[in-house]
Amino acid sequence: MKQATSVVAGVPGGVLLEGGAERVRDGIHTRPVLDEAKIYRLVLTCLGQGGARLTVGPATTGSATTGAGMAVPCDRSVVRRRIGGDGPVRVDVVGLKGATGVLAWRINTL
């Protein structure tokens, strides 16, 4: 977890809104409330084997979205995604079948 967190911490960004580290099998499931006057950036990495799927959307929609989302390889790559502030937002990262390792992430204002 320490290695994954340091990868994410090495990406320059604005003020931290929230962040953390989780096992791939547990995934990330957060519902931050964003200020509509600000732009945010999600920074995410996965260390391990396999991959995960990132889905970002309004908190009012369900979390099961077939075929949607962004691939997150578990190879130390850093995935960045801009998020416009507009109240509650749903951020889910789910490990793909057989994936192992650690996810680290943070949401910063830009």
Side-chain angles (χ1 to χ4, degrees):
M1 283 197 185
K2 222 175 175 179
Q3 286 180 333
T5 303
S6 67
V7 169
V8 169
V11 177
V15 177
L16 177 68
L17 175 66
E18 64 177 61
E22 304 292 338
R23 288 184 226 132
V24 173
R25 73 173 176 251
D26 296 334
I28 298 167
H29 309 284
T30 186
R31 307 294 183 265
V33 177
L34 306 181
D35 183 340
E36 66 184 85
K38 296 181 181 177
I39 300 293
Y40 299 84
R41 181 185 312 163
L42 170 67
V43 178
L44 170 68
T45 192
C46 183
L47 277 64
Q49 295 184 349
R53 176 127 342 251
L54 164 66
T55 305
V56 178
T60 56
T61 62
S63 61
T65 309
T66 306
M70 174 186 282
V72 179
C74 289
D75 63 358
R76 294 184 65 106
S77 297
V78 176
V79 173
R80 295 174 181 92
R81 171 117 185 230
R82 288 177 68 114
I83 305 170
D86 193 13
V89 175
R90 175 182 51 81
V91 178
D92 289 308
V93 182
V94 178
L96 301 176
K97 186 173 181 169
T100 61
V102 175
L103 297 159
W105 61 283
R106 72 176 190 215
I107 299 173
N108 289 5
T109 59
L110 292 180

